[in-house]
Amino acid sequence: MTMINRAKFCLLATAAGLAILPAAGHAQTADPAPAQQTPTPSMSGATEDDSDGFETIIVTATKRGQASNVQDVPFAVTAFGSKQLEDQHFANLQSLSYKMPNVNLGQAGTTPGYANFSIRGLGINSSIPSIDPTVGVFVDGTYLGISAGLVFGNFDLEGLEVLRGPQGLLFGRNVTGGAVVMRTTTPRNTFHADLSAQVSSGPEYKASAVITGPIIKDKLQAKIAVYYDKDEGYFHNDFNGNDHFGKSRTVIVRPALRFSPDDSFETLLRYEYGQYDGDGAVATNHGLFPISSFRVNVDNEGFAHNYWHMASVETNIPVELGNGKITNLMSYRAYNSTVSNDIDASPVLAFSSGNTTHQQQMSEELRYAGTFGKLDVTTGLYYFNQQIHYIENRILAGGANIVSGGGRQRQNSYGVFASFDWHFTDTLTLNLGGRYSYEEKAVRVANLVRNGCDYAAQTCNFTFTDANSWGGFTPRVGMQWKPDDKTQVYAFWSKGFRSGGYNFRNVLTQVAPGPFGDEVQNSYEVGFKKDFGKLLRVNGAAFWNEIDNVQREIQIPVIGVGTSQQIVNAANARVRGVEGEVTLRPGGGFTLGGQFGYTEGSYTKVLFDLNNSGAIDAVDYALQLPRLAPWTYGGSLGWSHTFGDYGVDANAAVNHHDAEFYNDANTGRLRAATMVDASVSVHRGPYTVAVFATNLLNVATYSAEAPLAFFAGSTFAPLNKGRVIGGSISAKF
């Protein structure tokens, strides 16, 4: 059965099941527990005022069937509500990288929108779609199977949660570093419109509209959200004098329906269509220009075409058993991209690359959450199916050498999980749980060689065929102490599991493209969360992670093919550190915030020659882990005041990331950077006018620092924007 037919079958089966379930719910009880109602702005927007102190920040990561206060969950998480995201002029996930401890939400650079997220030193350096992430991204509960298409414009969000540390119990495999959980707005039972327009350096123009309201009062609500972003290009290309290099256009349309005929049934239907078109990677070469420069000189400006469809059906049914709730979430996503990039980042045709990615996925999660006296129970089943088709073409040496290759992958993943919170006293809670994940992958791979694939016809001469499976058990044991409703101390041990796989970008023909083995992590964390009345909030955590069979993409400059990527289980490693977040409200409308993180990592056992020296020796053991910035820290100052009918909000922030190595051989290094941002907004009634500036120091940062073999110091370093100044106007009705 093809994946499309399987998706249609599951849709029909779910629809048939839903037709029966409401009646079953009535049969169980004459007065069932009410279904979760349409979230109010305070619940869904992740903030509500607390007269006893700080606003309540709402998170859903516990999968308890209802929202929880971020101060009550026993793990490290930074959560943003819709108001916080608006105040920071949230553009995309990457724009939040400097605002959280031990977090880097950067992208690969070779393919626009391709996430290379890292949390607590666990991340990837890859744009190969067959390589699984260490930080999972979830949109309205749906896991996104590949890292492509994640760092485009974001809008229409009720909340965003960044969970630090392994989340294998509730979220499954490939979340050894953590998880990013995004929630779009839910259709409301009253009319609401949120309109916004913005212009910033480039120039870049953005406009969005979210309109929601009832179709049938108390039974059927609808939403339509539309986003448009036209970037005229921020950078100058020395090669042709183009002052608008980096131009792009993004369109996202997101309708949704909520159907709740009575208190025993609720279903949410969501759909999203997105399209991104623009130039290829804007990359500098640090063999030509200094690391502090925004200079670009490329002969091939390339292009990027991306589009995607995503749909989900979420059904919530209250049941008498444990006064609980059954939730079923079925989702489908199709993502397609075609890109061309100047990888040598120089004015000669030494290395240009193009690739196409086609991905389809279907997933279903069925879970139950309920309470039996002092015991809270969450349990469920999970299924995920994915198909990936990837082809890459490299043009080298002025066109004298052309190589191509790629792969196809079919994948099925299964999971079963259960989590128990036993409140055995009024202040102590024991957290117990476990998840078993099983995954099977079948692949065909064509090495990157002459005539490995016909790029124009999108066909390949596959030379490698294989199938394999991996399984992993990820338990969690923890203790939570809450002496009062403003204080929490917690500790836990958990495991993480990252499945094995195959390399679709196999240049070294003498090396098989896989399989490489799974990666297993043991994590220990202790933390506390404390509010001191209305004055001070302090959260902190310390962690110790031990990772076995670390998966690494070993990148080696190779004359004739540009660079090679070999995926191996390279080592065992230890990562440990501390982090904290502080909020102080001294009065007068002022709010001071601070965050810091320190992470230290080292190899405890090296299994592969990391620096390609020909031997595993003390030099390999002394290498630093890539994507690990030792120190991240920063502070912010906010001020709010009302002048008659006008309200004023002013914010300023300074945040720093230490330098971090880009690759395992430590021959590429991402520079340290300090980001200074500021904004002022004035609002009256439903209208808000704001001005803002990001990266005021105009620091040059880049998504990668990949060494090349063309000349001394040659690198591929995709640039991020420098100083950006802009203004916006918005209205909420």
Side-chain angles (χ1 to χ4, degrees), residues 36 60-66 140-142 170-171 314-317 319 324-329 364-370 377-382 417 435:
Q36 185 177 2
T60 58
T62 58
K63 295 192 176 184
R64 288 289 305 150
Q66 59 188 9
D140 293 322
T142 298
L170 294 176
F171 291 94
E314 177 185 341
T315 302
N316 296 294
I317 300 171
V319 294
K325 179 186 292 184
I326 294 174
T327 297
N328 187 81
L329 175 63
E364 183 148 16
E365 181 174 83
L366 176 65
R367 67 177 183 267
Y368 163 82
V377 178
T378 303
T379 185
L381 302 170
Y382 179 75
F417 61 92
R435 183 185 190 112

Side-chain angles (χ1 to χ4, degrees), residues 37-60:
Q37 299 300 307
T38 303
T40 64
S42 60
M43 290 296 290
S44 65
T47 62
E48 65 178 20
D49 289 335
D50 184 344
S51 59
D52 294 329
F54 291 88
E55 70 271 21
T56 299
I57 308 295
I58 298 301
V59 297
T60 58

Side-chain angles (χ1 to χ4, degrees), residues 306-601:
N306 304 265
Y307 67 95
W308 62 94
H309 301 267
M310 184 170 173
S312 67
V313 180
E314 177 185 341
T315 302
N316 296 294
I317 300 171
V319 294
E320 183 177 352
L321 178 68
N323 192 29
K325 179 186 292 184
I326 294 174
T327 297
N328 187 81
L329 175 63
M330 186 176 65
S331 305
Y332 172 80
R333 183 188 190 228
Y335 171 83
N336 301 273
S337 77
T338 302
V339 302
S340 172
N341 292 307
D342 191 326
I343 304 298
D344 59 75
S346 74
V348 298
L349 179 53
F351 182 3
S352 284
S353 174
N355 66 70
T356 62
T357 301
H358 303 285
Q359 180 250 7
Q360 293 183 10
Q361 68 172 71
M362 192 277 291
S363 64
E364 183 148 16
E365 181 174 83
L366 176 65
R367 67 177 183 267
Y368 163 82
T371 300
F372 301 86
K374 295 184 176 182
L375 183 67
D376 297 332
V377 178
T378 303
T379 185
L381 302 170
Y382 179 75
Y383 170 72
F384 176 85
N385 172 274
Q386 179 171 251
Q387 295 184 20
I388 304 172
H389 181 200
Y390 175 80
I391 298 180
E392 179 175 329
N393 190 60
R394 295 183 179 183
I395 303 173
L396 303 143
N401 185 24
I402 299 177
V403 299
S404 56
R408 290 179 178 267
Q409 177 173 290
R410 291 183 292 106
Q411 168 182 351
N412 289 291
S413 303
Y414 309 87
V416 55
F417 61 92
S419 175
F420 306 93
D421 293 336
W422 177 30
H423 309 283
F424 60 92
T425 74
D426 291 338
T427 60
L428 289 175
T429 299
L430 177 65
N431 313 119
L432 292 173
R435 183 185 190 112
Y436 180 76
S437 299
Y438 175 80
E439 184 163 81
E440 52 192 17
K441 296 178 180 179
V443 301
R444 291 186 293 165
V445 178
N447 292 332
L448 266 79
V449 296
R450 284 182 177 271
N451 302 315
C453 293
D454 185 329
Y455 191 67
Q458 291 286 287
T459 59
C460 291
N461 301 313
F462 296 112
T463 56
F464 177 87
T465 301
D466 195 31
N468 213 317
S469 62
W470 299 266
F473 179 61
T474 51
R476 187 181 192 276
V477 179
M479 185 68 73
Q480 192 177 7
W481 177 50
K482 296 188 67 177
D484 56 64
D485 60 357
K486 301 296 182 183
T487 307
Q488 177 191 179
V489 178
Y490 67 87
F492 68 82
W493 162 76
S494 66
K495 293 193 71 173
F497 166 71
R498 186 170 170 228
S499 55
Y502 298 86
N503 180 13
F504 281 180
R505 194 177 289 164
N506 197 54
V507 172
L508 303 177
T509 57
Q510 69 274 24
V511 177
F516 50 86
D518 55 343
E519 179 181 291
V520 179
Q521 175 185 6
N522 281 278
S523 180
Y524 308 85
E525 180 174 323
V526 295
F528 67 92
K529 301 181 180 184
K530 173 67 176 177
D531 284 359
F532 296 89
K534 300 180 180 181
L535 178 65
L536 180 66
R537 168 173 288 177
V538 181
N539 295 345
F543 55 90
W544 183 296
N545 298 329
E546 296 175 349
I547 310 101
D548 293 336
N549 295 321
V550 174
Q551 295 173 13
R552 289 296 193 215
E553 179 177 315
I554 306 299
Q555 301 181 5
I556 303 171
V558 178
I559 296 175
V561 293
T563 186
S564 72
Q565 290 92 357
Q566 185 177 354
I567 317 299
V568 298
N569 296 101
N572 297 343
R574 180 195 66 218
V575 179
R576 55 191 176 183
V578 294
E579 58 198 23
E581 296 174 294
V582 178
T583 304
L584 175 65
R585 290 183 172 173
F590 287 97
T591 300
L592 286 80
Q595 53 91 7
F596 80 95
Y598 173 74
T599 305
E600 181 269 336

Side-chain angles (χ1 to χ4, degrees), residues 100-124:
M100 294 169 282
N102 294 325
V103 171
N104 185 342
L105 301 182
Q107 56 180 315
T110 50
T111 301
Y114 207 106
N116 270 194
F117 294 168
S118 173
I119 297 180
R120 292 178 174 175
L122 297 179
I124 63 172

Side-chain angles (χ1 to χ4, degrees), residues 8 66 174 177 244 257 262 271 286 295 297 348 394 433 453 492 511 592 642 651 667 703 710:
K8 292 178 178 177
Q66 59 188 9
N174 304 335
H244 298 284
L257 288 172
D262 52 48
Y271 173 76
H286 291 140
R295 294 277 302 275
N297 191 349
V348 298
R394 295 183 179 183
C453 293
F492 68 82
V511 177
L592 286 80
T642 300
N651 295 278
T667 54
S703 303
F710 302 115

